[in-house]
Amino acid sequence: MSARFALGARTARTARPFIPDCRAASLSTSRKPTPKKGTKHRLAHTGPRCSHFAFGPCRPYGTWSYGSSAGATPDESGRGTAEGSSEQLLLSDAQRRTIYALSTPPGKAGVAVVRVSGPDALAVWRQIVQTGRDGKGKARERDPEPWKMHRCRVVHPTTKEVLDDGLAVFFKGPKSFTTEDVLEIHVHSGRAIISSVLNAIACLPFCRPAERGEFTRRAFEGGRLDLTQVEGLRDLIDAETDTQRKLALKNAEGATRARLEQLRNETIQCMALVEALIDFGEGEDIEEGVYEQARERVLRLRDTISGHLSDNRKGEIMRSGIRLAIFGPPNAGKSSLLNFLAQREAAIVTPVPGTTRDILELSLDIGGLPVIVADTAGLRKTDDLVEKIGVERAKQLVNSSDVSLCVLPAPDVLVPSGATGYELQLPASLAPLVTDKTLILLNKVDLLPLNARSFTASDVLNRHIWRASLSTGEGTQEFMQGFAQVLQQRYNLLTEDGSRAEEPLITHARHRTHLENALQFLDAFLQTPPEDVVLAAEELRYAAQAIGKISGLIDVEDVLDAVFRDFCIGK
């Protein structure tokens, strides 16, 4: 019989079994077998009594144990204890629906939060949280008042050893983050304390550690969040700049969902007009020109989606960071500029040409924008094999970057022009790399004569040019202010009059993919003649589904896995 039950426990790992709640049922026989002294491997049920042995324990989270049943008494929660049992049958993950994890970063701090979510969260409270003690003048233990912080002691469920003195709060589902019963235990953030609390919860057979992003996934499955809010929540956790925080916060609050829902509803309304022709035809009940009306609305919808797609990847760049490549000739001050931006000695600076031979990257906050700054090797012809590889990598990085900043030594590139003027001339080796995305900084202006501080630039270099000296600090403040403003205007964070622009709709690559698919279906509808009204309605249906996939209204399992696998444990 023991093998039979063990097989049932293992098969439950692949399919969630139907286990009836038969706490009120009685055994089919009134006799209870009395185990003989020294008998081993006798099946004993540590939960409520039940006659449906073929279905396993009475409750989905009850336990079976092998050995003598003496000493196995049910506790107040109706689960029974493991005392007196020599072995327990393990529950499958399908049966252990209650999850737990540390929801704050590990390490020494004031407070650590352990989160528990699932149908047995209240049972976890009863096992490890003590808010009072029996005795004169002491309040008896009772179930918690939901949504109220309770001063408590955290104890081990079996030994009753006090692990820490902290706070606990119980959120009654569905008014919780995951829409399930949620328990949060606030303890002191020490490694030993956190480990002991997690180990105590692990002793409860109906709990299991949470997977990455499982708390948020349950919130999504419970209808608390849609996929755009889920992504916004993850971006909010990862935000490193003020711009990233604001964009992620809007997404987490549902701003993106509302805008996408408007596009989807407009598509559905166009589809309703077309399907009305299928059901009734243009006759007494349907106005003439309904199909043309649908086409006009689709044209406006197409222009709106095209406008979102032609944003130069502004949203994705704001979320992931602007890739900026610093390039120029040797000893122009590229590494000095990197150290100035980072406000620390991040790169080695020497007067020897060719000191920087590989790419050095740093993530910085410039004007509220996330910028990934890369310092590259000086561009020149060289016979040194290592330096030559660095020069080739520098050229490739400049061509693939979002923005490039060319650093030039002012005394070498300003040449006399006319009687008293000077003109800026680029070295021939750098001219092919200077494009529309290139900005220019003239360094070492402190070495120029006074009459060379003003100069003229050719039409090719009619772009943003700053003059500064990184060694003396002259002009650096004007450079930083102008550089940050150019980045904000280039990525449409600021309009021409200086006001803040509308937040981008597309912030992830998958958003762009689904909107591009929706645009293709709208184009297919516009190319469909009125005679094929059935096919035209299907094209609109596909367009609405493509937009719905962005917010998760269309359930696609591989999309959900891709979204939640990047979450941290405990969120």
Side-chain angles (χ1 to χ4, degrees), residues 337 340 441-443 445-446 453 465-483:
L337 176 60
F340 171 75
L441 173 64
L442 295 181
N443 188 27
V445 295
D446 57 311
R453 297 300 177 93
I465 303 176
W466 296 277
R467 296 174 290 273
S469 174
L470 296 173
S471 60
T472 64
E474 178 184 351
T476 54
Q477 185 176 0
E478 292 79 3
F479 161 69
M480 287 302 301
Q481 292 176 351
F483 182 49

Side-chain angles (χ1 to χ4, degrees), residues 7-19:
L7 179 62
R10 295 301 181 266
T11 55
R13 293 182 181 275
T14 58
R16 187 173 183 178
F18 171 74
I19 304 175

Side-chain angles (χ1 to χ4, degrees), residues 18 39 87 95 126 169 185 190-191 202-203 289 291-292 308 310 371 389-390 400 484 502 518 535 561 567-568:
F18 171 74
T39 302
E87 184 180 356
Q95 292 171 309
R126 294 168 178 168
V169 57
I185 305 173
R191 181 181 300 179
C203 292
Y291 193 82
E292 290 301 323
H308 291 306
S310 59
V371 182
I389 296 175
S400 61
E502 184 183 17
L535 297 179
D561 292 338
F567 268 83
C568 58

Side-chain angles (χ1 to χ4, degrees), residues 74-154:
D75 60 8
E76 293 182 0
S77 63
R79 298 190 175 279
T81 64
E83 183 181 358
S85 61
S86 59
E87 184 180 356
Q88 287 185 335
L89 284 177
L90 296 178
L91 297 177
S92 67
D93 287 346
Q95 292 171 309
R96 296 187 295 172
R97 285 285 300 165
T98 302
I99 59 176
Y100 67 92
L102 176 67
S103 292
T104 50
K108 293 183 179 179
V111 177
V113 179
V114 177
R115 177 181 290 173
V116 181
S117 177
D120 292 301
L122 185 58
V124 177
W125 174 289
R126 294 168 178 168
Q127 293 277 1
I128 69 173
V129 175
Q130 287 186 355
T131 56
R133 300 178 60 184
D134 292 337
K136 185 176 180 180
K138 299 293 184 180
R140 293 183 57 86
E141 292 287 342
R142 61 182 185 272
D143 289 345
E145 180 181 349
W147 310 291
K148 179 181 178 181
M149 193 72 76
H150 297 265
R151 178 73 180 273
C152 69
R153 293 179 304 168
V154 183

